[in-house]
Amino acid sequence: MLKHFLQFKDFTRAEHEYLFERARVIKARFKRYETYHPLADRTLAMIFEKSSTRTRLSFEAGMHQLGGAAIYLNTRDTQLGRGEPVEDAGKVISRMVDIVMIRTFEQDIVERFAAHSRVPVINGLTNEYHPCQILADVFTFIEHRGSIQGRTVAWIGDSNNMCNTWLQAAEVLDFKVHVSTPPGYEVEPERANLHGTGHFEVFADPLDACRGADLVTTDVWTSMGWEAENEERLKAFADWQVDADMMKRAKPDALFMHCLPAHRGEEVSGEVLDGPQSVVWDEAENRLHVQKALMEYLLLGKLEI
Ligand code: CP
Ligand code: NVA
């Protein structure tokens, strides 16, 4: 059956665990400079309606390293940007390539594309979710600290696509998220598409949210698409900067993550981002390895580890 990865909960816990294992194997081979071309002759189309550094690079380099090819399409210079229906684009693009990654605005756009696609579709970030990033983040946590089951993640800041995806991951992988957002920017459980299994708790004070956390994480105050609210958000989020004081409330061995790009002095202090608890560079690198495992799984199914 055709499989897509449009939100974190599209995969079961067993599937995620397989991906983490597979990513470990693929990463180790890559570090040994071993050639591994299971996707020879396969083509990935990458459709971008928003900017990107990491997502483009990790998918494009990843596909190349797996023996395939990647094609970059930007809305500005495709017919999508001139109003071609996304359903038609899904039908046409999926007749020419083997797998598609899309970064766009509303989740509905990737859902509609996927509904008309003959090939697997991956969400490379929407307004609602960023599932590939959370795959990398959980994999990074596992590399540094072991299983995330039963652990506590503190989410500080905006209830954006990253936050929603952490909340979904908590339900799928059975860990807890402490969320603290400024008033007016609270989590919307329906938008996050949660089962409501009690895997998150809301804290008015970000310092309280950090208490006992194994991982503290945040993201930009103004996501792509919300630029018009930037000034207002700078004021509203001023007390939600992850700084050394917040990190002190977490467990002594707590990690810090940020999907990047980061704004030092806004959502995170330079001291924390560049400090000893930060694993943001491993986190960024791991996009490459988990997405190679993801593409391999979507195209070839489960392989012997
Ligand atoms: N973290 C992330 O998705 O980065 P890019 O916007 O650079 O792709
Ligand atoms: N929440 C951010 C993530 C960027 C990788 C955004 O959507 O702009």
Side-chain angles (χ1 to χ4, degrees), residues 134-285:
I134 303 302
L135 268 187
D137 294 7
V138 174
F139 179 68
T140 307
F141 185 89
I142 294 169
E143 278 191 324
H144 284 268
R145 296 285 182 266
S147 173
I148 198 163
Q149 187 180 12
R151 304 295 194 110
T152 300
V153 174
W155 175 268
I156 309 299
D158 193 16
S159 62
N160 61 12
N161 41 15
M162 283 293 296
C163 175
N164 288 339
T165 311
W166 270 115
L167 297 175
Q168 277 197 5
E171 289 191 342
V172 176
L173 303 176
D174 189 25
F175 60 89
K176 197 153 182 210
V177 185
H178 287 179
V179 181
S180 182
T181 67
Y185 297 90
E186 291 87 357
V187 169
E188 297 169 58
E190 219 164 285
R191 189 168 156 85
N193 197 5
L194 303 178
H195 290 297
T197 44
H199 285 80
F200 82 97
E201 195 175 334
V202 171
F203 294 81
D205 185 339
L207 291 167
D208 293 336
C210 291
R211 194 158 291 131
D214 298 283
L215 165 65
V216 178
T217 184
T218 187
D219 186 14
V220 292
W221 291 341
T222 304
S223 286
M224 291 180 280
W226 277 265
E227 290 81 0
E229 298 178 8
N230 193 41
E231 287 307 306
E232 200 182 312
R233 284 170 172 264
L234 281 176
K235 288 188 204 117
F237 284 79
D239 292 335
W240 273 261
Q241 179 185 105
V242 177
D243 56 13
D245 200 28
M246 269 195 211
M247 290 304 295
K248 268 192 218 118
R249 309 294 172 111
K251 286 192 181 155
D253 69 342
L255 299 174
F256 172 77
M257 289 191 197
H258 188 309
C259 66
L260 307 177
H263 299 78
R264 289 172 180 80
E266 290 187 19
E267 74 274 5
V268 59
S269 67
E271 190 187 4
V272 169
L273 189 80
D274 301 308
Q277 287 168 281
S278 172
V279 290
V280 297
W281 316 116
D282 289 346
E283 184 188 355
E285 177 190 326

Side-chain angles (χ1 to χ4, degrees), residues 51-56 103 125 130 133 224 259-261 287:
S51 304
S52 169
T53 297
R54 281 145 286 267
T55 303
R56 175 178 179 181
R103 166 168 287 197
L125 181 145
H130 197 1
Q133 183 69 54
M224 291 180 280
C259 66
L260 307 177
R287 290 289 301 277

Side-chain angles (χ1 to χ4, degrees), residues 5-8 11 16 19-20 54-55 58-59 100-103 121-126 129-140 161-162 165 259 283-292 294-295 298:
F5 187 54
L6 306 184
Q7 46 186 309
F8 199 87
F11 287 175
H16 280 293
L19 285 182
F20 298 136
R54 281 145 286 267
T55 303
S58 53
F59 271 106
V100 178
M101 181 246 96
I102 310 180
R103 166 168 287 197
V121 178
I122 298 170
N123 178 351
L125 181 145
T126 56
Y129 310 116
H130 197 1
C132 293
Q133 183 69 54
I134 303 302
L135 268 187
D137 294 7
V138 174
F139 179 68
T140 307
N161 41 15
M162 283 293 296
T165 311
C259 66
E283 184 188 355
E285 177 190 326
N286 281 335
R287 290 289 301 277
L288 175 71
H289 310 301
V290 296
Q291 288 162 195
K292 284 165 78 175
L294 174 64
M295 291 191 286
L298 288 171

